[in-house]
Amino acid sequence: MNERDTEHMLAELKEKENYDATDDFKSADLILINTCSVREKPVAKLFSELGIFNKKKKDGAKIGVCGCTASHLGKEIIKRAPYVSFVLGARNISKITEVLHKPKAVEIDINYDESEFAFKDFRSSKYKAYINISIGCDKSCTFCIVPKTRGDEISIPMNLIIDEANRAVSLGAKEIFLLGQNVNNYGRRFSGNHEKVNFTRLLQELSKIDGLKRIRFTSPHPFHMDDEFIEEFASNPKICKSMHMPLQSGSTKVLKDMKRGYTKEWFLNRVQKLREMVPDVSISTDIIVAFPGESDADFEDTIDVMNQANFEQVFSFKYSPRPQTEAEFFSDVIDSDTASVRLTSIQELHIKQLDKNNASKIDNTYTVYFEELYNDGFISGRSDNNTVIKVKGSEELLGEFKDVKIISIGRTVLTGEIIN
Ligand code: SF4
């Protein structure tokens, strides 16, 4: 989502202020840092990075801090780093060209409604288009700061999403990637008067676009994975068969403390239904270990879910308390040694499962959409179920679909040869 927000800001700056992006910050007239605040580490890093940028930037260059940390720290950023020119919250990015001309502006209104703002087109990739389908989040997971930095959930009207997808396809994208905090809660609330539609309907309408070959999305919420949604996922040939299902914990008790809205049994039931209906589906997840009160038995439940679900990809983290969240005040904090041991167990199990899953892919054939050129004579892309695959080849393969047979495996990238 931050990547897409950055594209939106670049589009506005290009169109209205004639800016162009550069990779060399020392020659830049404007340095934008688009921040995340989901975990503690990136927040701490912000101030050290700001110091470096300030020391090395061109004379007169402006520095803007944007995104979720901007929303939650606001004026504090300018207090701690007075050379920062403006602070722009995650919910206010449409105002980028306004704050540019307002010294020390702090725009962080989380009630600001950008759901119908017509951003200009700019994408960092020609082949894949990120498209926001909603802003904010209505959930109240007790560990999460996002509702405080991105505000209430509002869906972007379906006609705007379809127009954006049509434009992206006409500019060459064959794949779209729909973004939202809870994509499968789409349509719950619009800010204007719009036809009531849900995520399944949105997927069906987008699938009608000629020239669009693949649709991906993230993140769906396990709570909203009803049968209708899973059946559409299974039967719609344009929907890529990879699903991100953020588990967070395998313990029903911890899930309740986290206010996730589902149980261990519900989660496993949804995984089972998915695997039954889409045998080659790839399922990824997020796991937080050592949430306050997580007992050994609770942690074993998470291991049990991992064993039963056999996730293709696991993003795991130690719990870190975030400001303005309920869990910040929870007692029964888990000590850091226990947290480290649990994280290591999760990561070791994941590696074991990953190696086994990858080994089973040797000699399989996948249709790969090529998107990235390496400088060692290889080019890579993704299969429908999100496996990263590289082959020997050059730029004429970019934006092409080819059938590829896997000849060797690595942890994150498999190597193949084109057979068709
Ligand atoms: S669903 Fe929960 S974890 Fe995800 S953004 Fe919303 S509050 Fe945060």
Side-chain angles (χ1 to χ4, degrees):
M1 194 160 265
N2 267 9
E3 275 186 44
R4 182 61 187 140
D5 289 350
T6 302
E7 288 177 347
H8 279 319
M9 288 191 284
L10 290 179
E12 290 292 292
L13 287 166
K14 245 172 153 27
E15 175 90 9
K16 297 183 181 157
E17 299 284 336
N18 209 20
Y19 275 81
D20 230 329
T22 171
D23 288 335
D24 173 24
F25 79 87
K26 290 181 191 155
S27 68
D29 299 307
L30 169 66
I31 298 170
L32 285 184
I33 307 182
N34 199 4
T35 58
C36 174
S37 60
V38 166
R39 287 183 296 136
E40 210 172 357
K41 229 171 158 183
V43 179
K45 208 174 153 200
L46 168 67
F47 288 97
S48 62
E49 296 269 311
L50 277 173
I52 296 170
F53 287 136
N54 184 44
K55 242 189 234 154
K56 301 193 174 166
K57 74 180 173 65
K58 191 167 100 174
D59 265 359
K62 292 178 180 172
I63 300 182
V65 177
C66 316
C68 284
T69 302
S71 304
H72 107 253
L73 290 182
K75 285 188 187 129
E76 180 68 25
I77 294 175
I78 297 197
K79 245 194 226 159
R80 284 176 66 180
Y83 46 81
V84 166
S85 318
F86 59 84
V87 174
L88 186 66
R91 184 88 173 217
N92 306 87
I93 56 168
S94 60
K95 295 186 178 169
I96 180 70
T97 54
E98 274 175 50
V99 291
L100 191 62
H101 301 294
K102 280 195 212 158
K104 307 295 171 201
V106 177
E107 289 283 351
I108 53 167
D109 180 3
I110 61 161
N111 296 314
Y112 188 66
D113 182 1
E114 290 185 319
S115 65
E116 302 197 18
F117 186 85
F119 289 97
K120 305 286 180 275
D121 283 318
F122 174 81
R123 297 182 190 282
S124 42
S125 166
K126 236 167 74 185
Y127 312 105
K128 170 168 70 189
Y130 289 122
I131 297 180
N132 287 348
I133 66 164
S134 60
I135 56 176
C137 178
D138 270 357
K139 300 274 184 286
S140 43
C141 303
T142 54
F143 55 82
C144 183
I145 192 175
V146 170
K148 297 285 186 313
T149 61
R150 288 189 176 267
D152 290 345
E153 189 171 314
I154 303 181
S155 298
I156 294 171
M158 184 164 78
N159 62 316
L160 294 187
I161 298 170
I162 292 176
D163 286 352
E164 193 175 341
N166 268 312
R167 287 199 309 276
V169 170
S170 70
L171 292 170
K174 292 175 186 160
E175 178 176 309
I176 58 170
F177 206 127
L178 308 176
L179 302 171
Q181 303 299 339
N182 293 300
V183 285
N184 51 346
N185 195 31
Y186 177 80
R188 178 166 186 261
R189 184 193 302 127
F190 294 101
S191 60
N193 213 357
H194 295 282
E195 186 195 353
K196 207 83 191 117
V197 286
N198 65 8
F199 188 52
T200 303
R201 168 85 192 284
L202 175 68
L203 290 169
Q204 290 164 345
E205 294 301 317
L206 285 167
S207 308
K208 294 178 186 161
I209 296 176
D210 273 347
L212 176 64
K213 307 275 189 225
R214 284 183 170 182
I215 302 174
R216 296 188 192 274
F217 50 80
T218 202
S219 287
H221 195 297
F223 175 76
H224 297 293
M225 287 196 171
D226 54 20
D227 286 352
E228 182 198 57
F229 166 64
I230 293 182
E231 280 154 20
E232 180 65 24
F233 176 83
S235 62
N236 185 328
K238 288 197 178 178
I239 299 178
C240 289
K241 301 304 179 243
S242 77
M243 184 78 88
H244 188 64
M245 290 181 69
L247 168 67
Q248 311 302 6
S249 169
S251 152
T252 296
K253 183 216 159 247
V254 174
L255 287 169
K256 195 160 172 236
D257 292 346
M258 289 176 163
K259 292 202 180 153
R260 290 290 291 169
Y262 52 89
T263 59
K264 173 186 180 184
E265 290 69 31
W266 168 260
F267 189 93
L268 284 171
N269 174 283
R270 298 295 83 188
V271 169
Q272 192 189 355
K273 177 152 180 112
L274 265 174
R275 294 231 186 258
E276 271 167 22
M277 295 197 73
V278 190
D280 61 344
V281 69
S282 145
I283 305 178
S284 57
T285 198
D286 300 322
I287 292 175
I288 296 172
V289 298
F291 187 75
E294 183 190 69
S295 66
D296 288 343
D298 293 324
F299 178 67
E300 283 311 314
D301 274 333
T302 301
I303 295 284
D304 184 42
V305 174
M306 281 183 74
N307 280 321
Q308 293 195 53
N310 191 17
F311 299 112
E312 275 73 13
Q313 191 67 253
V314 176
F315 303 95
S316 52
F317 309 94
K318 277 191 229 176
Y319 168 73
S320 70
R322 307 303 300 121
Q324 302 173 40
T325 61
E326 266 187 71
E328 185 191 5
F329 305 103
F330 285 4
S331 52
D332 208 358
V333 171
I334 308 298
D335 66 87
S336 140
D337 288 348
T338 307
S340 299
V341 170
R342 289 180 184 171
L343 185 65
T344 305
S345 305
I346 297 275
Q347 290 175 342
E348 284 175 357
L349 176 56
H350 170 48
I351 293 291
K352 222 167 96 188
Q353 293 180 323
L354 182 67
D355 288 347
K356 198 170 162 205
N357 287 336
N358 280 348
S360 70
K361 292 178 179 161
I362 278 277
D363 289 336
N364 285 4
T365 298
Y366 297 95
T367 302
V368 178
Y369 179 46
F370 288 101
E371 295 167 71
E372 194 181 350
L373 193 62
Y374 298 162
N375 49 16
D376 59 356
F378 280 88
I379 182 165
S380 81
R382 286 173 192 267
S383 66
D384 179 77
N385 67 2
N386 214 23
T387 305
V388 181
I389 297 171
K390 65 175 185 176
V391 301
K392 278 217 165 89
S394 50
E395 58 188 321
E396 63 270 17
L397 284 174
L398 287 171
E400 296 293 320
F401 289 87
K402 296 283 175 199
D403 290 337
V404 174
K405 184 176 165 188
I406 303 303
I407 52 173
S408 74
I409 54 163
R411 281 246 162 90
T412 51
V413 184
L414 310 188
T415 307
E417 56 192 15
I418 293 176
I419 55 167
N420 192 9

